[in-house]
Amino acid sequence: MANSQIRFKTPVDVILFVRECLQASDADRLYGAAREETDEFWRQTIFDDLRCLDQTESLETVFLREERFPTNQTEYKMGGHSTRTRHLHLDLVRINRTWRLKAIWKCR
């Protein structure tokens, strides 16, 4: 998890980071940014699902609910349990004043 120190200021930054990883076909960078390891079984499926979502609707329309992180919470979730999100979850955690990816996972 060499990149687990990647920090985000806004949810938009998270989407831009994911897109950079998709465009570079760099799954290792994406999963390396998460504090919790993504199960090997799901890695390619999740990566392919993210790529498909970005091509069909865009990651912004599927995952962005707000342009700023909440100031009174320490956890933030993007995605969720729905057909539209393909059951993908991007969980973030606030550490001090910055946000980091906690986990990237799929619930189905």
Side-chain angles (χ1 to χ4, degrees):
M1 295 193 199
N3 297 328
S4 64
Q5 297 302 311
I6 293 175
R7 298 168 186 186
F8 305 99
K9 292 182 181 179
T10 69
V12 173
D13 293 339
V14 177
I15 296 300
L16 293 175
F17 171 75
V18 171
R19 182 171 290 119
E20 286 174 10
C21 293
L22 294 174
Q23 290 174 343
S25 295
D26 194 347
D28 290 336
R29 182 171 181 233
L30 176 65
Y31 295 118
R35 297 173 60 81
E36 296 176 9
E37 192 169 330
T38 302
D39 188 299
E40 188 66 37
F41 177 82
W42 288 109
R43 287 173 57 105
Q44 191 61 51
T45 300
I46 292 170
F47 201 80
D48 291 343
D49 283 349
L50 286 167
R51 182 175 280 143
C52 185
L53 284 172
D54 199 32
Q55 292 172 352
T56 57
E57 284 194 70
S58 89
L59 297 173
E60 289 85 356
T61 59
V62 175
F63 289 101
L64 280 182
R65 293 175 292 153
E66 308 171 69
E67 292 196 19
R68 299 197 181 279
F69 287 119
T71 57
N72 60 347
Q73 295 176 14
T74 58
E75 292 193 8
Y76 186 79
K77 299 183 182 292
M78 300 173 78
H81 179 72
S82 75
T83 303
R84 185 168 188 229
T85 64
R86 294 183 176 234
H87 303 277
L88 299 176
H89 300 257
L90 303 172
D91 294 349
L92 291 103
V93 63
R94 185 173 66 193
I95 298 174
N96 298 321
R97 295 181 183 202
T98 63
W99 290 85
R100 297 187 189 160
L101 270 170
K102 178 180 177 185
I104 303 167
W105 59 286
K106 184 172 177 113
C107 62
R108 286 191 171 205

